[in-house]
Amino acid sequence: MVKVVAFDADDTLWHNEHLFLETRDRFTALLAGYHEKGWIEDRLYETELRNLGIFGYGIKGFALSMIETAIDLTETRVTGADVAEIIELAKGMLDAPVTLIDGAEETLKEVAGRYRAIIVTKGDLFDQETKLARSGLGNLVDTVEVVSDKSVNTYRRIMRSLAVSPEEFVMVGNSLRSDILPVIEIGGHAVFVSYETTWEHESVSDTALERLDFLRAESIADVPALLERFGEPRPRIPG
Amino acid sequence: MVKVVAFDADDTLWHNEHLFLETRDRFTALLAGYHEKGWIEDRLYETELRNLGIFGYGIKGFALSMIETAIDLTETRVTGADVAEIIELAKGMLDAPVTLIDGAEETLKEVAGRYRAIIVTKGDLFDQETKLARSGLGNLVDTVEVVSDKSVNTYRRIMRSLAVSPEEFVMVGNSLRSDILPVIEIGGHAVFVSYETTWEHESVSDTALERLDFLRAESIADVPALLERFGEPRPRIPG
């Protein structure tokens, strides 16, 4: 029944969010002379959300939002040296080694032996491609789709290009908002693999999760066994 | 013989390079108190090339390179207000109205009626997608491929995904380096449509162009007529 298994990449196959957390910490430390940590973090988050529609997701937009925040909350007194430090933080993120999540490679191999395995990752095209190259996982999958947003329409387009129906498609990922909800909404399957930390923007309220039909895995290594459950016919809910 | 006609977008279907030229002018004006225009431009170009491997192509990377250049050549004395102005310049570029090149829409319609028409554009995924949406051209084509670089391997991958051979593929664009050379190298066809200005990085030496088998169009409106020439058998070169 299932033909395609799609994996999210950031924080599903390799560690990513820790880079943002570490950079946020160094950013707040840089501006510690001006404001309290929590207040700086809140302003940065506001700037990121405000800029999302113009920068999209990714490290370069995040860097520009950090610089903008630093200028705003120092009333332009931030020094050139501090801004240079922010750019170096961003370059460090873009250049960081890719650390695979335990079990990711083995899981991908196992799944690719039984289904068509693909990667669907959101963010900056160039950054995602270089991470994929550094991860060594590219050869294990059939296709890699880098998308600017994981909306219902994005998943519809991907399914159409792969010529599969939603019932034949499983998405595996750590973001309820991006990997699970939109796929379930159009009748696909999803496996949620929890990650230690998730960006506030990607979180979803508990009420939105009620009545949603997806599976939860404690670890990516549990995914192959869970996939077999989608082969079973679903119980009909009398309407 | 020809099945797929692929169009470059920036400066082939819509004006783009003028945004960079205008922003470079405003950037050098901003730093006019520190250095001469030509010298600032050279330093900016150096920074862009140095950062290309870490930022890739696109406006956000260009913005970060402008900020880095401003810090370098003022020896960190650049003010927060000046850096804020650079971020505003970048936002203005990302938000600029998309102005179609004369004849682009009509040409795309005509070509799409006879061949499978696609767009292959290099740069930032999110920026290219929003430009495409603003251009209104998305519905005229079959597929849009946003790629991080237009290399021989990129074109091979695209042809494979469309299930066409190089002889069945024509690329139409204004960059010899990105649109013409790699396609010719793998046996495909190409139509070069000259544009008023081309970024230095995209230019190609005259010697590299000798003996290359591609067509030149004065305007995009000439493309449909030129495409018919690819239907004729090529003269065999003895040798």
Side-chain angles (χ1 to χ4, degrees):
Chain A
M1 195 175 175
V2 167
K3 289 185 180 167
V4 171
V5 181
F7 290 85
D8 169 55
D10 288 341
D11 301 321
T12 296
L13 297 176
W14 55 66
H15 295 280
N16 177 65
E17 187 58 24
H18 71 101
L19 288 176
F20 285 88
L21 292 176
E22 286 159 20
T23 301
R24 280 194 188 90
D25 279 349
R26 293 178 66 176
F27 176 74
T28 54
L30 198 68
L31 300 175
Y34 297 95
H35 291 284
E36 302 235 325
K37 185 176 160 70
W39 200 82
I40 298 171
E41 281 174 344
D42 289 349
R43 296 294 83 71
L44 175 58
Y45 183 60
E46 279 171 13
T47 311
E48 280 183 79
L49 286 197
R50 195 173 60 236
N51 286 339
L52 210 50
I54 192 150
F55 292 153
Y57 296 92
I59 293 169
K60 285 172 288 187
F62 176 60
L64 290 167
S65 287
M66 280 195 288
I67 296 170
E68 188 177 315
T69 306
I71 295 167
D72 281 353
L73 54 71
T74 63
E75 290 159 338
T76 78
R77 285 171 295 156
V78 64
T79 65
D82 286 342
V83 176
E85 174 71 21
I86 296 171
I87 295 178
E88 282 311 304
L89 288 176
K91 287 188 178 177
M93 293 176 78
L94 289 165
D95 209 28
V98 172
T99 314
L100 297 186
I101 285 176
D102 281 346
E105 188 169 0
E106 297 73 12
T107 300
L108 216 50
K109 277 183 189 158
E110 189 175 343
V111 170
R114 288 157 54 199
Y115 308 90
R116 193 168 169 190
I118 69 168
I119 291 175
V120 180
T121 176
K122 180 175 77 175
D124 183 83
L125 180 63
F126 184 75
D127 184 37
Q128 293 292 341
E129 284 183 357
T130 56
K131 280 195 285 192
L132 187 77
R134 277 175 279 164
S135 76
L137 299 179
N139 290 333
L140 299 180
V141 294
D142 212 67
T143 323
V144 178
E145 290 270 355
V146 182
V147 298
S148 62
D149 204 4
K150 286 180 168 175
S151 65
V152 160
N153 283 337
T154 302
Y155 286 109
R156 280 209 182 97
R157 180 185 60 73
I158 290 172
M159 290 175 194
R160 204 163 45 231
S161 80
L162 297 170
V164 291
S165 65
E167 313 88 69
E168 296 167 330
F169 184 94
V170 181
M171 182 71 200
V172 179
N174 75 302
S175 167
L176 290 165
R177 180 199 179 100
S178 296
D179 302 317
I180 312 302
L181 259 56
V183 175
I184 297 296
E185 190 179 331
I186 57 175
H189 305 289
V191 180
F192 174 66
V193 188
S194 57
Y195 187 70
E196 47 211 73
T197 49
T198 302
W199 187 34
E200 193 177 345
H201 177 65
E202 297 291 336
S203 62
V204 167
S205 71
D206 283 348
T207 48
L209 295 179
E210 284 170 22
R211 303 175 51 86
L212 277 187
D213 184 19
F214 66 91
L215 298 179
R216 287 167 189 264
E218 280 307 304
S219 135
I220 187 139
D222 301 335
V223 168
L226 286 174
L227 290 176
E228 290 176 22
R229 294 225 224 141
F230 295 121
E232 299 163 13
R234 293 188 189 193
R236 294 257 301 272
I237 302 160
Chain B
M1 194 176 177
V2 166
K3 289 186 180 166
V4 171
V5 181
F7 290 84
D8 169 56
D10 288 341
D11 300 320
T12 296
L13 296 176
W14 54 67
H15 295 280
N16 177 64
E17 186 57 25
H18 71 101
L19 289 175
F20 285 87
L21 293 176
E22 285 160 20
T23 300
R24 280 196 189 91
D25 280 349
R26 293 177 67 177
F27 177 72
T28 54
L30 199 68
L31 300 176
Y34 297 95
H35 291 284
E36 301 236 324
K37 184 175 160 69
W39 199 84
I40 298 172
E41 281 174 343
D42 289 348
R43 296 295 82 73
L44 175 58
Y45 182 61
E46 279 171 13
T47 311
E48 282 182 80
L49 286 196
R50 198 174 55 236
N51 286 338
L52 211 49
I54 192 150
F55 293 153
Y57 295 93
I59 293 170
K60 286 173 287 186
F62 176 60
L64 290 167
S65 287
M66 279 195 289
I67 296 170
E68 187 178 315
T69 305
I71 295 167
D72 281 352
L73 53 71
T74 64
E75 291 160 337
T76 78
R77 285 171 296 157
V78 64
T79 66
D82 286 341
V83 176
E85 174 71 19
I86 295 171
I87 295 177
E88 282 311 304
L89 287 176
K91 287 188 179 177
M93 292 176 78
L94 289 165
D95 209 28
V98 172
T99 315
L100 296 186
I101 285 175
D102 280 348
E105 187 169 1
E106 297 73 12
T107 299
L108 216 50
K109 277 185 187 155
E110 190 176 342
V111 170
R114 289 158 53 200
Y115 308 90
R116 192 167 169 192
I118 69 169
I119 291 175
V120 180
T121 176
K122 181 177 75 176
D124 183 84
L125 181 63
F126 184 75
D127 183 38
Q128 293 292 342
E129 284 183 356
T130 56
K131 281 195 286 192
L132 189 77
R134 279 175 279 162
S135 76
L137 299 179
N139 290 333
L140 299 181
V141 294
D142 211 68
T143 323
V144 178
E145 291 269 355
V146 182
V147 298
S148 61
D149 203 4
K150 287 179 167 172
S151 65
V152 160
N153 283 337
T154 302
Y155 286 109
R156 280 209 183 98
R157 180 185 60 72
I158 290 171
M159 290 175 194
R160 205 164 42 233
S161 80
L162 298 169
V164 291
S165 64
E167 313 87 70
E168 296 168 329
F169 184 93
V170 181
M171 182 72 201
V172 179
N174 76 302
S175 166
L176 290 166
R177 180 199 180 99
S178 296
D179 301 318
I180 312 301
L181 260 56
V183 175
I184 297 296
E185 191 180 330
I186 57 174
H189 304 289
V191 180
F192 174 64
V193 189
S194 56
Y195 187 70
E196 47 210 75
T197 49
T198 301
W199 187 34
E200 194 178 342
H201 178 66
E202 297 291 337
S203 62
V204 168
S205 71
D206 282 348
T207 49
L209 295 179
E210 284 170 22
R211 303 174 52 88
L212 279 185
D213 185 20
F214 66 90
L215 298 179
R216 288 166 189 264
E218 280 307 304
S219 136
I220 189 141
D222 301 334
V223 168
L226 286 175
L227 290 175
E228 290 176 22
R229 293 226 224 142
F230 296 121
E232 299 164 13
R234 292 190 188 191
R236 294 259 298 274
I237 300 161

